[in-house]
Amino acid sequence: MSDQSPPFRTAAVIPAAGRGVRLGPGAPKALRTLNGTPMLIHAVRAMAASRAVSLVVVVAPPDGAAEVKSLLADHALPDRTDFLVVPGGDTRQESVKLGLDALPPGIDAVLVHDAARPLVPVDTVDAVIEAVRDGAVAVVPALPLADTVKEVEPRTDGSPEPVLATPERARLRAVQTPQGFERETLMRAHETVTDNVTDDASMVEQLGEPVVVVPGHEEAFKVTRPLDLVLAEAVLARRRANDGF
């Protein structure tokens, strides 16, 4: 009998079914281009850059799976990584669940990554995977906040918003992706938590399971507004100049 344990296998799920209205009219956000290449392709390559990731599942717009499959076929991707495209749902939570349902047996850890974070470095991806491999059931990369944060009473009429509190900044973190999970824990969260939440880690929190933080990276920012596109292009230009990226 062999003493060798089976390999620890990691898959990444990239929900890319949103429209990205804050970037303005045009193609869905994930299909906007950076340096002539769709953000989605940058995000897929960022996940596949980790040698620990054996499968990347892209969750496409419900009517756009064929287009996304064609897009992946048109761009060079690592041969060592498998790629799968599945149609998404009406919400991000539904899309992630559909991506999870498409995972084959034998996957131990799952990364959930925003297609709108196309420039996350591989070191950040590997740090999240390593933390799950070491026993964490849920891991998020995050950065300390540079700005003071105020809790306010929201106003919808445009009037000034009253400040309710000033949280202690040292205890706050800005969370990024990929978020990493022990597969069964994430599946249980999606089968149990019905509220439409903003990230998968908060679903695991609602199960009462611990979530831990590893250092994020300033280049893992989310491309949401037109100015973010300018910043992302600048990061790519710097990478090309420094590393021949």
Side-chain angles (χ1 to χ4, degrees):
M1 180 182 294
S2 172
D3 292 333
Q4 290 185 338
S5 59
F8 185 91
R9 297 187 62 207
T10 301
V13 174
I14 303 180
R19 296 297 305 179
V21 294
R22 282 177 288 185
L23 276 175
K29 178 165 56 176
L31 303 184
R32 303 291 180 94
T33 60
L34 295 175
N35 191 33
T37 300
M39 279 201 295
L40 175 60
I41 297 299
H42 286 288
V44 169
R45 286 173 173 166
M47 296 299 98
S50 172
R51 292 186 174 274
V53 174
S54 58
L55 170 66
V56 177
V57 179
V58 179
V59 187
D63 58 352
E67 180 183 2
V68 171
K69 287 180 182 178
S70 177
L71 193 67
L72 295 182
D74 289 343
H75 290 81
L77 299 171
D79 292 334
R80 67 173 182 270
T81 309
D82 293 326
F83 301 93
L84 179 64
V85 178
V86 298
D90 293 332
T91 67
R92 183 185 185 280
Q93 188 172 344
E94 290 177 11
S95 292
V96 173
K97 178 63 163 58
L98 289 167
L100 293 175
D101 289 343
L103 294 177
I107 297 296
D108 301 287
V110 181
L111 304 179
V112 181
H113 183 57
D114 295 332
R117 297 184 190 270
L119 304 180
V120 58
V122 67
D123 287 351
T124 303
V125 181
D126 286 341
V128 171
I129 296 171
E130 183 177 356
V132 178
R133 185 186 291 120
D134 287 345
V137 298
V139 183
V140 297
L143 292 175
L145 298 183
D147 298 321
T148 296
V149 175
K150 301 289 185 183
E151 181 184 355
V152 303
E153 182 67 40
R155 292 284 189 264
T156 59
D157 58 2
S159 62
E161 298 176 329
V163 171
L164 301 179
T166 303
E168 184 181 347
R169 189 173 63 185
R171 297 173 61 88
L172 301 177
R173 297 292 183 270
V175 174
Q176 301 175 326
T177 69
Q179 298 183 357
F181 305 91
E182 187 268 331
R183 178 182 181 173
E184 294 306 320
T185 299
L186 184 59
M187 291 291 296
R188 183 159 53 92
H190 275 271
E191 291 165 356
T192 304
V193 179
T194 58
D195 293 337
N196 187 24
V197 292
T198 57
D199 74 345
D200 296 271
S202 63
M203 299 175 68
V204 173
E205 289 174 47
Q206 291 188 45
L207 295 181
E209 297 286 354
V211 178
V212 299
V213 170
V214 297
H217 196 282
E218 61 182 5
E219 293 181 2
F221 62 90
K222 192 172 187 178
V223 178
T224 302
R225 297 175 175 84
L227 183 60
D228 299 327
L229 287 170
V230 177
L231 179 58
E233 291 279 8
V235 170
L236 284 174
R238 186 183 66 183
R239 287 184 180 180
R240 291 195 302 270
N242 293 343
D243 308 321
F245 179 82

